[in-house]
Amino acid sequence: MHAVQPQHTQPISNAFPFKAKTLIIADPWVSIPQATLESSVRAIALTLDSNQNVFQLISSTLHHHPTINSLHLFAHCQPEAVKIGSARLDIRTLEQYSWDLHNWFFPTQPHLSHRQPEIYIHSNSPDPIHLDSPVITMLTQLTGAKIILA
């Protein structure tokens, strides 16, 4: 199966007939490198609309595709936040969406409990977020995912 080319987002249900393993979400002003798409077998790749709620999109997609255990975010980063689309992932918004984040990978995917989910944050920002940032710590606690900064 080949990687799926990025699409503008639509409600996710059975739009993708395969069991996806990876979800790739891109900010409308950040492009996904072709190499990432080619190496992402069984991936759903979506580009956010500028006014779309990234938390709801990810929650809905993961709910409809429970085999996904890897999330790639192509975003703009700052030392204390990740900006993707119109959303700013900072302490305040993580607290606001904590219930959604807690359910991104668990308990809807108990069959994945043997493999820790992963969230990759891709940024070409000159002043990126760091792994010891309170935002990254909270994202890890809420999702149970290993965070990788790329």
Side-chain angles (χ1 to χ4, degrees):
M1 180 125 342
H2 297 289
V4 176
Q5 294 299 316
Q7 300 178 9
H8 286 284
T9 56
Q10 302 171 16
I12 301 297
S13 58
N14 292 324
F16 300 91
F18 55 89
K19 291 185 178 184
K21 297 288 184 192
T22 301
L23 174 60
I24 301 170
I25 303 286
D27 182 277
W29 298 280
V30 176
S31 61
I32 302 170
Q34 189 63 32
T36 299
L37 291 172
E38 290 171 356
S39 67
S40 298
V41 176
R42 296 195 308 181
I44 297 171
L46 303 170
T47 300
L48 277 174
D49 291 333
S50 59
N51 61 352
Q52 192 163 25
N53 184 313
V54 68
F55 295 102
Q56 292 173 351
L57 174 68
I58 293 170
S59 296
S60 174
T61 305
L62 292 175
H63 173 75
H64 286 94
H65 298 276
T67 56
I68 292 174
N69 63 0
S70 178
L71 171 62
H72 290 255
L73 299 175
F74 285 82
H76 302 281
C77 292
Q78 301 166 339
E80 295 300 321
V82 175
K83 186 171 183 317
I84 183 163
S86 61
R88 182 177 158 85
L89 282 70
D90 56 19
I91 294 294
R92 185 183 61 78
T93 55
L94 291 177
E95 287 173 348
Q96 179 182 351
Y97 289 97
S98 62
W99 178 254
D100 295 298
L101 292 163
H102 180 71
N103 288 299
W104 276 5
F105 299 106
F106 304 105
T108 59
Q109 300 179 26
H111 62 282
L112 297 177
S113 61
H114 66 282
R115 180 161 181 237
Q116 184 180 19
E118 299 172 331
I119 299 175
Y120 293 81
I121 300 174
H122 302 268
S123 173
N124 57 1
S125 301
D127 195 14
I129 197 163
H130 299 282
L131 279 175
D132 61 354
S133 162
V135 172
I136 298 299
T137 300
M138 186 175 211
L139 186 60
T140 300
Q141 292 170 346
L142 291 171
T143 63
K146 177 180 179 182
I147 310 296
I148 297 106
L149 302 179

